[in-house]
Amino acid sequence: MNRRHCATAAITLVCALALLTSTGQAMAAPTPEPPPSPSASSSAGSPPRYSNADLEKVREQIDTLYRKAAAATDAYNLAEEQTKKQSGEIVKLAKAIVDGQARIAALKDRAGAQAREQYRNGGLPPGAQLALSNDPKLFLDGINKVRQSQQASKSLLTDLNRTQEDLETYTQDASANWEKLETTRVKQAKAKKKINARIKAAEKIESQLEEKERDRLRQLERNAADKAQTAWLSSGAVKDVSGEASEGGAAAVAFATAQIGKPYVWGAEGPGSYDCSGLTSQAWLAAKRTIPRTSQEQWRLLPRIDIQDMRPGDLIIYHADASHVGMYVGDGSIVHAPRPGRDVTLAGAGSMKILGVVRPDK
């Protein structure tokens, strides 16, 4: 009897398993496996780990990180320029303080000499001694000398007081500039930290891709740039653009295009590498015109012009935060330093979101 029950139970279990297997669609779906880790290698002939849609998201993520790094780079470069300026002001003030102290010492020596002379003459200057003479001519000469002595003493005291006031002002200004310098250095350090963190994050994402995927990623970058450029050209934005470069603009373009192939390095101003505004500022410096160091300051301070009026040598500022800049070279193209991991290159002027155009030699 027991054997019969055991056999019946076994048969029931087998049937149940068979039923579960045949009706799997009615069961809850199993938890999907996570996508393959970017560090795992795929075998030859296997389907790609990432679809184009997936890689497009990766491209957008990397692009966002590099754009944020570019904004931080502008903040760093601006802080660096301010640091140089403030350091220069402190050096000037320090020299003025030293000169002021030396002048005060000299004035005090003169005042002391006058006091000693009066002491030797019984407390009266030579002119006063002569004024007591019975000789009318000597008396008048004495009066003039007294006046001259009084004016000299008054001038000496005025000069001494003014120099002391200047010295106090120099000292206060030096202290204020030192505080500004320290504040700027803190900002610079924070910006540098942000830049490094975002670049490392972007590089980490890209490094986890296989070589073929990185090639596809580059192709997606080109596709996105080409699509934006085509749309920009089709809009008629440069339909009437035909301006010729000025002498300075031609020199700036010649310098910038000669840097093609050199790597992007944030904060770099050449000669071996550049960031975007380092390239444009050095190009115009080669054309004998000094312009602001950062793209944001170039946008803020340089004269703005309409796109239809631009000519080679003009600077095109990109993105709402003015975090990127390229130099227009004609035919709807720019030369620019794109981002870390890329080299100075030619690109479509409309391949990124244009904020506006500025002209350094207007």
Side-chain angles (χ1 to χ4, degrees):
M1 186 70 174
N2 288 336
R3 283 197 293 270
R4 184 182 302 168
H5 282 302
C6 288
T8 302
I11 293 169
T12 302
L13 179 59
V14 170
C15 292
L17 289 172
L19 179 63
L20 288 172
T21 303
S22 64
T23 59
Q25 293 179 353
M27 299 291 291
T31 303
E33 292 184 4
S37 169
S39 59
S41 59
S42 55
S43 59
S46 63
R49 301 180 309 162
Y50 294 103
S51 66
N52 279 353
D54 292 333
L55 274 181
E56 179 61 24
K57 291 179 181 178
V58 171
R59 184 194 70 78
E60 290 174 356
Q61 186 179 5
I62 290 174
D63 185 60
T64 298
L65 285 168
Y66 279 128
R67 279 186 54 193
K68 288 181 178 180
T73 297
D74 247 24
Y76 176 90
N77 289 336
L78 180 59
E80 185 177 44
E81 288 296 295
Q82 290 173 339
T83 297
K84 290 178 182 177
K85 182 178 179 181
Q86 289 157 359
S87 296
E89 288 296 321
I90 289 173
V91 170
K92 289 179 183 177
L93 289 167
K95 186 178 183 302
I97 289 171
V98 170
D99 291 343
Q101 289 172 335
R103 181 164 178 75
I104 286 174
L107 290 170
K108 285 182 176 179
D109 285 344
R110 284 174 54 192
Q114 286 185 358
R116 287 191 296 272
E117 184 178 358
Q118 288 183 12
Y119 178 77
R120 285 194 300 270
N121 293 321
L124 292 174
Q129 297 284 348
L130 291 171
L132 298 176
S133 171
N134 291 327
D135 187 328
K137 184 175 183 305
L138 289 176
F139 177 78
L140 292 174
D141 289 342
I143 291 295
N144 288 332
K145 289 182 178 179
V146 168
R147 288 175 179 171
Q148 290 172 2
S149 178
Q150 289 175 338
Q151 289 175 350
S153 297
K154 184 178 180 181
S155 175
L156 178 64
L157 290 174
T158 300
D159 203 0
L160 181 60
N161 289 333
R162 184 188 303 115
T163 303
Q164 287 176 329
E165 289 173 0
D166 289 344
L167 188 60
E168 289 176 5
T169 301
Y170 295 151
T171 303
Q172 291 171 359
D173 288 348
S175 178
N177 272 277
W178 183 260
E179 290 178 3
K180 289 179 182 178
L181 179 61
E182 289 304 303
T183 300
T184 303
R185 282 174 173 164
V186 170
K187 290 180 181 177
Q188 193 174 9
K190 288 181 178 178
K192 184 175 182 179
K193 188 175 180 180
K194 286 181 180 179
I195 294 164
N196 287 329
R198 284 162 179 167
I199 290 177
K200 285 181 180 178
E203 288 175 343
K204 182 178 179 181
I205 293 172
E206 196 164 356
S207 70
Q208 291 174 336
L209 298 174
E210 293 180 351
E211 187 61 36
K212 289 182 178 179
E213 290 165 342
R214 284 195 288 271
D215 290 341
R216 288 170 58 208
L217 183 67
R218 282 178 176 267
Q219 186 58 51
L220 287 174
E221 288 178 358
R222 289 190 288 269
N223 291 346
D226 290 345
K227 182 179 180 181
Q229 174 73 355
T230 300
W232 184 65
L233 293 175
S234 299
S235 70
V238 289
K239 180 181 177 182
D240 299 321
V241 175
S242 58
E244 294 185 2
S246 63
E247 183 179 351
V253 168
F255 178 93
T257 52
Q259 312 312 310
I260 290 175
K262 294 182 179 180
Y264 176 107
V265 174
W266 69 265
E269 299 177 82
S273 58
Y274 297 88
D275 64 17
C276 65
S277 56
L279 176 65
T280 54
S281 60
Q282 288 300 304
W284 271 102
L285 186 60
K288 297 181 172 54
R289 184 173 290 268
T290 300
I291 65 172
R293 168 63 178 86
T294 71
S295 59
Q296 291 174 345
E297 289 296 281
Q298 289 169 4
W299 173 243
R300 188 173 73 88
L301 298 175
L302 294 178
R304 301 178 186 181
I305 61 169
D306 292 333
I307 289 179
Q308 291 81 4
D309 297 328
M310 69 180 176
R311 64 192 186 195
D314 290 342
L315 306 182
I316 303 182
I317 310 297
Y318 294 95
H319 311 307
D321 58 358
S323 58
H324 191 70
V325 59
M327 179 178 291
Y328 186 66
V329 296
D331 297 326
S333 299
I334 59 167
V335 59
H336 72 141
R339 66 167 177 81
R342 301 291 184 263
D343 298 330
V344 176
T345 187
L346 290 172
S351 58
M352 296 167 283
K353 182 67 175 178
I354 294 176
L355 178 60
V357 182
V358 295
R359 176 165 293 163
D361 60 345
K362 183 174 181 181

